[in-house]
Amino acid sequence: MAYSKRSGNFLPKQDIDQAEYQHNKQYIKMGLQMILTFIITGIICEILALGYARYSYQPVSYDAEKFNAGQKIHSSLKRQVALIEESRPNGINVLAIMSAVMSAKPAEVTLLSIDISETKSSFTGTAANIDSVNLFCNNIDLTGFKAVVETIKTPNQNQTDGSQQFVISVEPDKAKLSPAGGNKK
């Protein structure tokens, strides 16, 4: 007759469990020590990081006068940006007109006022002599526009600098504009 039950261990079930526990006790203890070591190391590192952050933090100090000056510059720039954004209404290309005028301006010419509109742009300034005004007017090169000297005021005898005041207007060139209306045959 064959005996099917395995009889390699004659200890009762409670003693077998106790023996397995004693055998695995060192592994369990080592695992708990490892977990506890990681937790304690993490807590220590976090405390050190918080302490370093607390003692290395320096509050930002700023000069109130410099801050107010910066605020003034900021508000001034915002106003100037708003002016630039409004500088191209109704198809007026202010940048092209100003670029052409400033590149044509001789060094002895000083501009006093600038008026740019849809139909006409006027530039008022002073110059040492009439030749500078004519040179300035002739050098303004804008496609589809022509520059004309409107007025020149000669200096009075009581003026000491002897500069001449002038007004140059830049208008669309009527000869280069296409005729209005439809095509007539």
Side-chain angles (χ1 to χ4, degrees):
M1 175 173 182
Y3 191 68
S4 65
K5 189 171 183 185
R6 190 168 173 221
S7 59
N9 194 345
F10 298 105
L11 295 173
K13 176 77 173 146
Q14 185 180 5
D15 291 338
I16 292 173
D17 290 341
Q18 183 67 24
E20 283 182 12
Y21 174 73
Q22 289 299 326
H23 177 70
N24 293 331
K25 186 177 180 180
Q26 63 184 358
Y27 298 118
I28 294 170
K29 189 176 176 182
M30 186 177 70
L32 290 175
Q33 286 175 346
M34 185 174 63
I35 290 172
L36 187 62
T37 303
F38 284 139
I39 290 172
I40 291 173
T41 304
I43 290 172
I44 290 172
C45 288
E46 191 164 335
I47 289 171
L48 288 174
L50 289 173
Y52 176 74
R54 177 178 166 84
Y55 290 111
S56 67
Y57 172 73
Q58 295 177 355
V60 177
S61 62
Y62 59 89
D63 187 13
E65 291 177 14
K66 289 181 181 179
F67 179 77
N68 291 336
Q71 289 290 72
K72 286 180 184 177
I73 291 171
H74 177 69
S75 62
S76 173
L77 285 175
K78 282 177 75 173
R79 282 193 302 271
Q80 290 175 1
V81 166
L83 284 174
I84 289 172
E85 287 174 352
E86 293 177 5
S87 68
R88 262 187 106 139
N90 302 326
I92 301 171
N93 194 348
V94 175
L95 297 176
I97 293 171
M98 289 302 297
S99 174
V101 169
M102 289 303 168
S103 64
K105 185 181 86 65
E108 59 269 3
V109 171
T110 303
L111 292 177
L112 301 175
S113 70
I114 299 170
D115 180 29
I116 299 175
S117 66
E118 290 182 48
T119 57
K120 178 180 174 182
S121 301
S122 297
F123 301 94
T124 306
T126 58
N129 55 33
I130 198 165
D131 294 332
S132 300
V133 176
N134 287 330
L135 178 68
F136 179 37
C137 183
N138 292 334
N139 285 343
I140 297 175
D141 184 27
L142 276 168
T143 308
F145 292 90
K146 69 175 183 175
V148 177
V149 177
E150 282 189 4
T151 59
I152 295 180
K153 290 184 183 178
T154 57
N156 295 335
Q157 291 160 355
N158 59 357
Q159 286 181 335
T160 58
D161 62 353
S163 62
Q164 299 183 351
Q165 193 171 15
F166 64 89
V167 176
I168 294 178
S169 66
V170 178
E171 300 174 348
D173 193 4
K174 300 203 185 306
K176 293 184 180 178
L177 292 176
S178 60
N183 293 333
K184 295 182 181 179
K185 293 185 180 185

